[in-house]
Amino acid sequence: MIDRAIITRVKENLTFFPIVSIIGPRQVGKTTLAKQLSGQLSKPTLYLDLELATDAQKLEDAQTYLQQNTSKCVILDEIQRMPHLFPLLRALVDQQREPARFVLLGSSSPDLIRESSESLAGRISYIELMPFSWPEVMFSGTMAMHWLKGGFPEAFLAPRLILTFRWLSSFVQTYIERDIRALGYELSGPILNKLLSMIAHINSSILNVSDLARSLGVSQPTVNRYLDLLEGSFVIHRLPPYFANVSKRLVKSPKLYLRDSGLLHQLAQVISYDVLLGHPVVGASWEGYVIEQTRRVVGTEWSFYYYRTAAGAEIDLLLIAPNGKKIAIEIKLSNAPTVSKGFYQSIADINPDYSFIVIPDGDSYPKADGLWVCNLTEFLIVRLPTIYSN
């Protein structure tokens, strides 16, 4: 059993919110986490899997059934299968408002489950559970293997690489195509597969929707719709640009990333660490990996941006902590990195509170002007928490 970092936050929110929703892709351990919680709450729990016909049948008269179990914390798994329950849950919570009434598990973001954000506002807390982060598995494997395989439990824990990538290939076909369609969205399988393959090869690049549309032979609105669905399904992330009050022309389009590095490598047909190190996607893959690991550690309360001028000066990742601190991050695959003039120019533009060059696993040491070279592990488990606490 690999402990998940979010469990403390889930338990804390259950002491205050009537409804806590754990959202994330399939196969990341939402059900395991919810069942683990069952023995740790102050009230008994009732677990219902809405993909099982027997459990779904119990909710044919959902109002009567749920009103008979008001003393329990009801866990509803795969809630996106029954979005019509949201208004009922709101009414039941309003009749008896107390913490830990319901735990909802879903494989889609609240943007895709339209009714949830509208019906349950003020009553629900959303917590994102993604594949294993590096700090969660650092005692169960190497960073190289975590980067290569990604963090989906079945992929990361597979005994052989061939099984890892067979699982990831199956995930693309079954989860992305079937589950998005199950929400009522009509998709073209061939177009979606081609789009994913294209995203893998432009990973970490500035998004150009018109180029994607032209290559796919579809309209720009169609490409944007597909990107919205992929982002809402936790597959991709569009990193927005940071706009500052500087007298320079700035790039205004987002950068595009596949969130799980294993999924990226499967789509790019990179199935070994040696192949990865010599593959054209390696630098972009490492950049995306660092950004995603940072997201998994700090959560959704931090703001994520990149900064780039029209002249090419750039900060790979600009973080803004909940306390307002700005952190500028240059991401380098080399353990002996050189710093570009453009990074220093961007630092002068932004004037961040902290500046780092994040490397894989070398020694951490200071450079001039408050800039630190820092390995990823130390950055995630020491530096970021310290910045937030200050």
Side-chain angles (χ1 to χ4, degrees), residues 152-168:
F152 282 99
E154 294 287 346
F156 178 74
L157 298 171
R160 291 187 292 146
L161 280 178
I162 188 65
L163 298 177
T164 291
F165 288 101
R166 283 178 185 170
W167 186 92
L168 288 166

Side-chain angles (χ1 to χ4, degrees), residues 170-362:
S170 176
F171 175 85
V172 172
Q173 299 303 318
T174 58
Y175 169 64
I176 297 174
E177 290 190 17
R178 187 195 68 181
D179 286 9
I180 293 179
R181 283 199 178 107
L183 289 168
Y185 296 94
E186 291 299 323
L187 298 174
S188 165
I191 290 177
L192 181 61
N193 286 330
K194 187 176 180 181
L195 175 61
L196 284 168
S197 179
M198 292 171 65
I199 292 173
H201 289 89
I202 63 171
N203 190 68
S204 88
S205 298
I206 294 172
L207 176 60
N208 188 320
V209 174
S210 62
D211 282 354
L212 288 175
R214 186 164 48 252
S215 298
L216 291 169
V218 298
S219 67
Q220 292 187 39
T222 296
V223 171
N224 280 320
R225 181 169 66 92
Y226 275 54
L227 293 176
D228 288 343
L229 292 172
L230 289 172
E231 188 161 31
S233 298
F234 311 98
V235 176
I236 66 169
H237 171 59
R238 284 171 286 193
L239 184 67
Y242 180 77
F243 298 103
N245 294 321
V246 296
S247 58
K248 296 182 179 180
R249 293 176 56 214
L250 303 177
V251 174
K252 297 183 179 180
S253 296
K255 294 177 73 173
L256 188 62
Y257 297 90
L258 280 156
R259 294 191 63 176
D260 184 74
S261 57
L263 186 58
L264 165 65
H265 298 150
Q266 194 278 327
L267 290 166
Q269 299 183 331
V270 177
I271 59 173
S272 77
Y273 191 64
D274 287 340
V275 171
L276 172 61
L277 293 181
H279 198 279
V281 304
V282 64
S285 173
W286 175 250
E287 180 180 318
Y289 176 77
V290 171
I291 291 172
E292 181 62 24
Q293 298 314 302
T294 304
R295 283 170 59 94
R296 294 183 193 176
V297 167
V298 303
T300 58
E301 295 175 350
W302 293 53
S303 298
F304 283 64
Y305 304 94
Y306 80 97
Y307 174 82
R308 186 170 183 176
T309 68
E314 184 172 15
I315 295 173
D316 292 329
L317 178 61
L318 180 65
L319 295 177
I320 301 180
N323 59 11
K325 300 291 185 181
K326 289 188 291 188
I327 306 101
I329 301 161
E330 179 84 347
I331 300 169
K332 295 289 188 181
L333 184 54
S334 170
N335 284 334
T338 58
V339 186
S340 68
K341 181 180 178 181
F343 182 68
Y344 283 117
Q345 291 173 339
S346 299
I347 292 295
D349 293 342
I350 299 297
N351 190 29
D353 298 282
Y354 303 89
S355 302
F356 293 96
I357 302 173
V358 174
I359 60 176
D361 53 14

